[in-house]
Amino acid sequence: MKIRNVIHRGLRRFIERDDASGLVPCAIEKVRNILSFLQEMEDAQELRGIPTWKAHRLSGDRRGTWSLTVTSNWRITFRIDKRQKEILDLNFEDYH
């Protein structure tokens, strides 16, 4: 899937310039793997095939947003536009 927009500046810099300075150092390799997977996937259900990422949709005011575990506190979150097959509002956040 194509990534339409990225909210987290450090994550955007990592995607555009391979500059990891805005990310948690212990998470860089896992973030790289997740981003590669997201760009190659065809359907969101593929996310459930990797149990260590604990893929799930958020509820409440974040309903429809996917969350993938990067570290104990940090998550990659995003929404999916199914019609356009694009990832929206890609973020790297500690929402706990």
Side-chain angles (χ1 to χ4, degrees):
M1 288 190 175
K2 181 181 178 215
I3 297 172
R4 186 185 304 173
N5 67 314
V6 182
I7 295 172
H8 188 274
R9 287 186 310 208
L11 187 58
R12 186 178 323 117
R13 198 169 34 248
F14 185 65
I15 292 168
E16 293 173 354
R17 295 183 251 157
D18 200 29
D19 175 358
S21 61
L23 301 176
V24 179
C26 66
I28 294 168
E29 193 58 35
K30 194 166 185 182
V31 168
R32 186 183 314 276
N33 292 338
I34 289 171
L35 291 173
S36 294
F37 186 90
L38 291 176
Q39 291 174 330
E40 296 296 322
M41 78 177 186
E42 297 288 325
D43 183 72
Q45 295 310 313
E46 294 174 45
L47 293 168
R48 301 204 190 271
I50 304 173
T52 57
W53 292 351
K54 300 176 184 162
H56 65 282
R57 289 186 195 176
L58 302 178
S59 58
D61 63 340
R62 308 273 320 258
R63 187 171 187 218
T65 299
W66 281 90
S67 175
L68 305 177
T69 298
V70 178
T71 68
S72 56
N73 286 349
W74 289 91
R75 306 289 185 266
I76 286 186
T77 59
F78 56 93
R79 294 181 305 112
I80 294 177
D81 180 336
K82 290 181 183 181
R83 278 200 320 232
Q84 298 295 323
K85 293 197 174 206
E86 290 182 328
I87 294 170
L88 313 168
D89 304 329
L90 185 64
N91 203 357
F92 182 64
E93 60 183 305
D94 178 356
Y95 64 78
H96 287 103

